[in-house]
Amino acid sequence: MLKAMWRRGSSTRSFTTRAGKGRYAGIGICDRPLQASTGLQFHGDLVVAVDGFFYDPTKLAKEALRKGQPQSLSELLTIPGAFSFVAVAGEQLYAGRDPVGQKPLYYGKSPNEVLAVASLRSPLAAVGVESPEAVPPGSVLATSKRSFTQFGDGHQLEGSGSSAASEEEAVSRLGELFHEAVSKGVPPGSGIAFSGGLDSALVAVACKNAGKGPELVTVGVEGQPELEHAHRVATELGLPITICELSSSEIIDSLGEVVGIVESTDPVVVGVSVPFYFACRKARQMGLSTIVAGQMSDELFGGYARFEELAIKGEFNLVESEMWKSVQMAPSNDFEPGDKVAVSLGLELRCPFAYIPLVEYALQLPVSLKVSVSRGRVVRKYVLRRL
C-alpha cells in the first residue's frame, strides 16, 4: 500500500500491532518534501496519524487526545482544520475526516477480508479493494470483525438558512471570519491560485491585510484576455504576480498525468483540475510550499449559473436546496481532486472559504443574501461582493 502511495510522499514509516487472535492492525504514513509531518502520535494505547492541519494545533493533543481513548477521536471533528486521520486502539482501526471533507480518505474490504483505509484509491486496489468508498465528512468509522461501522456521533454540517442577520451584520461577520481563516491558516509567503475574479481577489486582499506577503500565480491559454485581467487586478492590489501562458498542446499533453493524479476521468473534475495542476506546478518551481485557493465559495454563496436560472423563476426554495447539494458534493468535486493535485506536486492546499466557523455561519444565512434579485437582475454571491 505504501508503495502505491508515492504521490503522497517519498518517505514512509509504519506501525503495526496485534489486534486480537491472528489479526493485526497497522498504520503507514508518507512524508512530503517541505511539509512537516504530524507523524504517529502515541496517547496510551491510542495511536493516531493525521494528514492535514488544525488552525489551533495545541488543541489536538491538549484537549482532544489527552484521554488516550477512542472516544476522544470524535472530539477531533470539532476542532477547525483540514484533515483526515487514522488510528489504532485495542482491536480496532479508526478513520475520520473533517466536517467539510477537505482531505481525501477512502475505505473498503478486499475479497480476503482485509479492511483498509487510504488517502488514495490506488493503495486500496493494491490490496484487492475493488470499490472503495469515501469516508463521510464529519464522521469517524471503526472496524468490526468484517466491516466498517459509524463510531460516535460525528460532527456533520447542517444547512438551514435560519439566521435573521441583516446585510450589514452578515458582511461584517463574514469579514471577521475570513480574516481569522487567513490569519490562522495561511503561512507567510504562500502562493495564491489567482484568476482576478471575486474569490481569488478576496483571498489575495485578506492575505495582504494579514501581512502574509502572498505570491499570485495565474495560468491560462496564451493570448487569452483573462491573463491580462488577472495582471491588471494584481497591479491594483499591489501584489506580485507570476503568469504562466500555456499552449493547447501543453494542456492536452497533461491530461493523462492529471487523470492519474485525481483518479478520475470525470470531465468536470479533470477540467477543473488541469489549470490547478499547472498553477501548482508553477508554484513548486517558484519554491513555494503552500497554495491557497478559493474553493467552497461557489457552493456557500451561490456562484453557479444554475442558481441564477432558478432565482429568475422565483424558485428560492430550490435555490437553497441546490446550494446545499453542492456543499455536500464539494468533497468529491473540489477538495479531493484539489488536494491530490497539490500534494502530488509537493504543496499543501489551504482553502480559507472552507474554515469551519465560516462555513457554518454562511450556511445559516438566508439565500437572499447569496443570490439577490432586484428588478429582474440576479447578482450571485451578493454578500461576498459587498464584502
Side-chain angles (χ1 to χ4, degrees):
M1 289 181 71
L2 285 172
K3 185 177 180 181
M5 292 276 288
W6 62 274
R7 292 189 190 276
R8 303 294 289 186
S10 55
S11 175
T12 61
R13 288 178 283 161
S14 61
F15 166 85
T16 306
T17 183
R18 186 180 293 275
K21 186 177 179 180
R23 301 173 70 235
Y24 293 86
I27 298 176
I29 63 172
C30 300
D31 289 333
R32 301 192 292 275
L34 304 180
Q35 298 296 329
S37 171
T38 305
L40 291 168
Q41 297 196 16
F42 295 81
H43 301 269
D45 293 331
L46 181 64
V47 184
V48 183
V50 178
D51 177 25
F53 80 102
F54 295 87
Y55 286 88
D56 188 353
T58 59
K59 289 186 177 181
L60 175 64
K62 287 185 177 179
E63 294 184 18
L65 296 176
R66 60 183 176 179
K67 303 167 189 174
Q69 299 294 325
Q71 288 77 10
S72 65
L73 294 173
S74 296
E75 296 181 32
L76 288 181
L77 304 179
T78 66
I79 304 176
F83 58 87
S84 64
F85 64 84
V86 291
V88 170
E91 298 185 2
Q92 288 185 300
L93 175 71
Y94 302 86
R97 293 173 79 186
D98 74 73
V100 183
Q102 296 176 74
K103 284 285 181 177
L105 196 64
Y106 308 97
Y107 71 99
K109 182 173 72 172
S110 72
N112 61 346
E113 304 275 299
V114 172
L115 299 172
V117 183
S119 296
L120 297 175
R121 293 186 174 93
S122 51
L124 297 178
V127 293
V129 177
E130 296 179 355
S131 301
E133 298 181 54
V135 173
S139 299
V140 180
L141 302 183
T143 56
S144 62
K145 290 185 177 179
R146 290 186 173 85
S147 65
F148 287 89
T149 58
Q150 180 79 26
F151 178 78
D153 296 330
H155 184 69
Q156 286 82 28
L157 298 175
E158 295 181 2
S160 63
S162 60
S163 171
S166 69
E167 184 176 310
E168 288 71 23
E169 290 171 336
V171 171
S172 175
R173 183 60 181 149
L174 285 173
E176 293 171 357
L177 289 169
F178 201 65
H179 178 77
E180 190 175 288
V182 167
S183 298
K184 292 183 176 181
V186 176
S190 295
I192 298 176
F194 187 76
S195 68
L198 175 62
D199 302 335
S200 61
L202 276 171
V203 172
V205 170
C207 287
K208 179 182 178 181
N209 291 344
K212 299 295 182 176
E215 297 269 353
L216 309 184
V217 182
T218 298
V219 300
V221 179
E222 54 190 1
Q224 292 300 303
E226 289 83 1
L227 298 178
E228 175 56 33
H229 170 75
H231 184 271
R232 184 171 66 252
V233 174
T235 301
E236 291 176 4
L237 297 180
L239 290 171
I241 184 170
T242 298
I243 295 177
C244 178
E245 296 192 55
L246 306 172
S247 66
S248 298
S249 61
E250 284 181 289
I251 295 171
I252 293 171
D253 290 344
S254 75
L255 292 179
E257 173 74 4
V258 173
V259 165
I261 291 171
V262 301
E263 302 181 302
S264 173
T265 56
D266 184 311
V268 175
V269 171
V270 175
V272 171
S273 299
V274 166
F276 190 59
Y277 166 82
F278 282 104
C280 288
R281 196 173 75 169
K282 174 57 68 173
R284 191 70 178 87
Q285 291 170 352
M286 295 165 61
L288 304 179
S289 59
T290 303
I291 189 79
V292 187
Q295 291 174 335
M296 198 67 168
S297 170
D298 287 321
E299 291 83 358
L300 288 175
F301 298 101
Y304 294 126
R306 66 180 184 273
F307 304 147
E308 181 173 334
E309 295 165 4
L310 292 170
I312 290 175
K313 299 175 184 177
E315 298 176 347
F316 288 99
N317 287 337
L318 272 179
V319 173
E320 189 166 18
S321 65
E322 286 299 309
M323 287 177 61
W324 174 237
K325 288 179 184 177
S326 71
V327 169
Q328 294 175 303
M329 293 299 294
S332 58
N333 290 346
D334 293 329
F335 293 119
E336 290 172 19
D339 184 82
K340 291 174 184 178
V341 169
V343 171
S344 72
L345 290 164
L347 299 172
E348 187 68 26
L349 174 61
R350 299 290 171 96
C351 303
F353 282 107
Y355 180 50
I356 293 174
L358 188 153
V359 170
E360 292 178 331
Y361 181 76
L363 286 172
Q364 296 300 312
L365 292 176
V367 68
S368 60
L369 289 179
K370 304 170 185 179
V371 183
S372 175
V373 179
S374 177
R375 298 179 182 177
R377 180 170 178 263
V378 178
V379 179
R380 288 178 271 159
K381 298 195 278 195
Y382 174 76
V383 71
L384 286 189
R385 298 180 192 279
R386 280 293 316 277
L387 177 61

